[in-house]
Amino acid sequence: MSQNQNGTPDQPTTPTGPQPEPIRFFGTTWVDHTNGYALRRVGAAVGSLALAVAACLVLRFAYEGIQLAESGGFVTVLVVVMFAVCSALAFRHTWDSFGKRPDPERQSSLRGLLAIGFVGSLLAYFFRSLVEAPGEKLHRAEYEESRRRHEKRASRRTGSPSKKRRRQ
């Protein structure tokens, strides 16, 4: 442990004010784009695209299974339309969640739809990773707002309140 000039041990410094919220796969590297931020973005983009391609292959096998079962044209069309619509809705929901916090109740009610449309969510993650860390814009706005409020509060509290002159 290091010591200061008085010979007493230095206390670990803790940052004051609000701290940035970590983003999945990026931690807090989104704040100043250090510690492999660009590499993480490339990895997130490549990974989400690879998972989307693999998911499409799995869906292709499911489609072929429906064809082999000879369940009829109506069932085949129904399954294809269901996955297409759910993927489109999941894409839109995921994309919107990068710009504003989703409502927890709505999120839980859409859980099944988002699970079926997972390809859409993966594609939204891929496209957002090309621009920024998914959710970075939202987190940055919230973090800067909390820093601004903290600095405003801290600047008002100068001096000792006990020495403040009372109005008469």
Side-chain angles (χ1 to χ4, degrees), residues 41-52 122 126:
R41 264 192 42 211
V42 169
V46 169
S48 60
L49 184 61
L51 284 173
L122 289 169
F126 165 71

Side-chain angles (χ1 to χ4, degrees), residues 2-167:
S2 64
Q3 294 182 353
N4 61 18
Q5 292 175 347
N6 298 335
T8 59
D10 284 336
Q11 297 297 323
T13 59
T14 57
T16 60
Q19 299 303 308
E21 185 178 344
I23 297 176
R24 181 182 299 154
F25 305 124
F26 294 91
T28 57
T29 62
W30 60 268
V31 176
D32 52 5
H33 296 182
T34 58
N35 296 332
Y37 170 81
L39 190 60
R40 290 175 194 225
R41 264 192 42 211
V42 169
V46 169
S48 60
L49 184 61
L51 284 173
V53 168
C56 287
L57 288 174
V58 169
L59 290 177
R60 166 92 177 158
F61 292 139
Y63 175 79
E64 288 177 1
I66 292 171
Q67 293 291 11
L68 286 173
E70 296 178 4
S71 57
F74 178 72
V75 172
T76 303
V77 169
L78 191 63
V79 169
V80 169
V81 168
M82 177 198 60
F83 273 106
V85 168
C86 288
S87 290
L89 291 172
F91 179 92
R92 179 63 184 199
H93 179 76
T94 304
W95 190 265
D96 288 345
S97 71
F98 294 143
K100 62 180 177 164
R101 297 268 179 188
D103 178 30
E105 288 181 22
R106 185 170 184 263
Q107 184 81 8
S108 66
S109 68
L110 290 176
R111 188 171 295 139
L113 181 128
L114 295 173
I116 294 170
F118 63 98
V119 174
S121 293
L122 289 169
L123 290 175
Y125 207 84
F126 165 71
F127 286 121
R128 190 57 137 194
S129 294
L130 295 176
V131 178
E132 65 179 7
E136 178 180 345
K137 184 177 182 181
L138 172 67
H139 283 76
R140 188 171 301 283
E142 290 174 350
Y143 177 62
E144 288 175 356
E145 176 63 21
S146 65
R147 296 281 302 173
R148 186 190 62 74
R149 282 194 317 255
H150 174 74
E151 289 171 6
K152 186 176 179 182
R153 279 192 316 266
S155 67
R156 284 188 287 176
R157 289 185 277 182
T158 56
S160 174
S162 63
K163 294 180 182 176
K164 194 175 183 181
R165 290 182 28 178
R166 302 272 187 230
R167 292 185 192 180

